[in-house]
Amino acid sequence: MNVQEIEINEAFRAEVREWMNSHLTGRFASLKHASGLGAEGYDAQLAKEWEQELAKGGWTGIGWSAEHGGRAATLAQQVIFHEEYVSCGGPGRIGHIGETLLAPTLMHYGTPEQKARFLPGILAGKDYWAQGYSEPGAGSDLAGIRTRARIDPATGEWVIDGQKVWTSWAHESGWIFVLARCDETVVQAAPGNGARHGGMVLLLVPLHQPGVEVRPIRQITGTSEFNEVFFDGARTEGSLHLGPVGDGWKVAMYLLGCERGASTLGQQAHFRYELNLILELARKNGAARDPLLRQRLAKAALGLQTLRSHALRSSGEGTSQRVASVSKYAWSNWHRDLGELAMEVLGEQGELALSDPELRPLQQLWLVSRADTIYAGTNEIQMNLMAERALGMPR
């Protein structure tokens, strides 16, 4: 990076900090440092209004090209934005799934009509999306999905029947992208016919319709981030499939690459905030004087730095699935271990039902992080992918 680039990036950092400090105030102040849906006290409606505030300031889709309404920010500037956003207390982004997962997939696979219809609402913080992948019996083994999609010959619409589970944020979303297996009448002309990963389609489906039922799942934290979603003759327009019909698996894998790649940049910044909370408590309650805990704290700090380096390396265009699998495996294990470290630093207090606003977030961190190695592809699935696709080992 040359001197001019350093000056440009420092000016950008100052711009982000000034905007955050002048806008994350007043009615938005209660959102400061709230980790997101599933966290205690997270006001989803206010978080949506915050998304729209960010959009007005030009801080949504900052990595999108100007063609799609973004800032075309460089990777370095995206990192700076995430660092300053968290440093200033920015809350977890309720528009994350639409902005960082669906939108890049729309840009890659979507038709001009689909891009024109959906990207503006995502960018403006007005349209929210859920991810319809996992099913009962098809969580780790996504290729085992049973949700079916067929074409109604009378209307030309897609008709969907089946069930999804562990569906993040469906109860706060208006749309869901659904990976479904095509009916035999559709799949005959579709690519990949006969293969286990063939004959699928990724559909864009409105959630607010008579054929869809969303049931929030109460989690160990006492809140709900995940849902069950039932499709009973749900419908969507015939043109709302991403990519070729029958090739939905390929589109779904592209989207997962976004989930495990560039979108972790903001996550890294929040991890730093959580680690700093633990370090602050360790200094305050004396846990830092324990040589074994001190060693674990240092290991956590080094691990986070390694995660950051890997995220930067794997965030460019063309990120491979195997690199993305390494990223998911690494951050989920690190964050699960951080939750356990938080409980160690809390000591006996961690066993109690804490109400102290300084201590309870660390207890919640432990509870929330138990799911990290399961969702977005379990550890076992990631290791299989790395073994087969990175090391060339046989199935």
Side-chain angles (χ1 to χ4, degrees):
M1 187 179 297
N2 58 40
V3 173
Q4 186 178 16
E5 288 173 328
I6 291 173
E7 290 176 350
I8 291 172
N9 287 340
E10 285 309 305
F12 181 78
R13 184 182 296 278
E15 181 186 356
V16 176
R17 190 181 305 150
E18 180 182 355
W19 190 91
M20 288 293 293
N21 288 333
S22 60
H23 287 77
L24 192 56
T25 58
R27 64 194 182 101
F28 294 125
S30 62
L31 288 173
K32 275 192 172 181
H33 296 299
S35 60
L37 273 177
E40 286 184 325
Y42 186 82
D43 185 333
Q45 182 55 45
L46 188 59
K48 290 177 180 178
E49 293 172 24
W50 171 244
E51 288 288 332
Q52 291 158 22
E53 188 75 7
L54 285 169
K56 291 175 189 171
W59 299 112
T60 54
I62 64 169
W64 297 12
S65 66
E67 172 192 359
H68 295 117
R71 283 188 174 227
T74 64
L75 181 59
Q77 289 174 332
Q78 293 178 58
V79 173
I80 288 169
F81 171 77
H82 290 303
E83 289 177 344
E84 290 302 321
Y85 181 84
V86 173
S87 175
C88 293
R93 299 283 306 281
I94 196 169
H96 163 73
I97 292 178
E99 181 181 329
T100 63
L101 305 186
L102 178 64
T105 311
L106 266 171
M107 293 173 197
H108 191 80
Y109 284 103
T111 64
E113 293 76 17
Q114 289 171 344
K115 295 175 189 175
R117 179 173 176 179
F118 294 112
L119 290 177
I122 295 172
L123 191 67
K126 294 181 177 177
D127 291 341
Y128 297 93
W129 288 80
Q131 182 177 18
Y133 275 19
S134 297
E135 298 181 6
S140 297
D141 182 17
L142 187 59
I145 60 166
R146 296 180 181 178
T147 293
R148 310 290 296 188
R150 60 183 171 84
I151 292 286
D152 180 344
T155 64
E157 295 175 316
W158 287 97
V159 182
I160 305 121
D161 292 285
Q163 179 188 352
K164 298 293 179 180
V165 72
W166 309 122
T167 312
S168 303
W169 308 357
H171 59 312
E172 293 292 347
S173 300
W175 287 81
I176 183 171
F177 43 91
V178 178
L179 185 64
R181 193 167 294 285
C182 297
D183 183 85
E184 291 179 358
T185 57
V186 177
V187 80
Q188 284 177 354
N193 185 19
R196 191 164 180 262
H197 295 155
M200 295 187 189
V201 64
L202 193 72
L203 296 172
L204 309 178
V205 182
L207 277 166
H208 299 150
Q209 59 169 303
V212 177
E213 181 182 358
V214 177
R215 298 179 186 170
I217 298 172
R218 183 179 170 84
Q219 298 162 218
I220 193 173
T221 56
T223 58
S224 295
E225 176 184 1
F226 305 115
N227 300 268
E228 293 177 289
V229 181
F230 297 86
F231 300 94
D232 183 10
R235 289 176 177 262
T236 196
E237 296 167 34
S239 62
L240 293 188
H241 56 86
L242 267 184
V245 173
D247 216 7
W249 180 262
K250 185 177 179 181
V251 183
M253 292 303 102
Y254 181 90
L255 187 145
L256 284 179
C258 301
E259 180 178 43
R260 295 164 188 164
S263 74
T264 63
L265 287 170
Q267 188 184 48
Q268 308 285 328
H270 189 72
F271 287 171
R272 168 62 62 187
Y273 170 72
E274 292 176 331
L275 176 59
N276 287 339
L277 288 180
I278 296 172
L279 291 170
E280 185 178 338
L281 177 63
R283 294 188 190 99
K284 189 180 293 184
N285 70 4
R289 291 194 292 273
D290 182 320
L292 293 179
L293 273 180
R294 193 164 62 243
Q295 189 175 35
R296 288 179 60 186
L297 290 166
K299 184 179 177 182
L302 290 171
L304 182 57
Q305 194 61 35
T306 304
L307 287 177
R308 185 176 186 274
S309 298
H310 180 74
L312 291 173
R313 183 170 65 90
S314 61
S315 292
E317 287 292 328
T319 298
S320 70
Q321 281 294 319
R322 58 192 179 196
V323 172
S325 291
V326 171
S327 175
K328 168 60 176 60
Y329 181 82
W331 75 251
S332 62
N333 283 282
W334 181 89
H335 197 236
R336 178 199 58 195
D337 294 345
L338 186 73
E340 294 173 355
L341 180 57
M343 290 295 282
E344 291 288 337
V345 171
L346 279 167
E348 294 179 350
Q349 287 183 304
E351 305 295 329
L352 305 174
L354 298 174
S355 58
D356 188 321
E358 291 187 9
L359 303 181
R360 188 166 178 78
L362 298 184
Q363 195 179 50
Q364 289 284 306
L365 163 62
W366 176 67
L367 293 172
V368 169
S369 63
R370 309 312 297 166
D372 285 343
T373 56
I374 300 173
Y375 64 67
T378 65
N379 270 3
E380 290 74 17
I381 289 294
Q382 302 308 329
M383 287 192 285
N384 280 344
L385 291 172
M386 286 185 276
E388 294 167 10
R389 300 182 185 182
L391 302 177
M393 296 175 69
R395 286 176 176 270

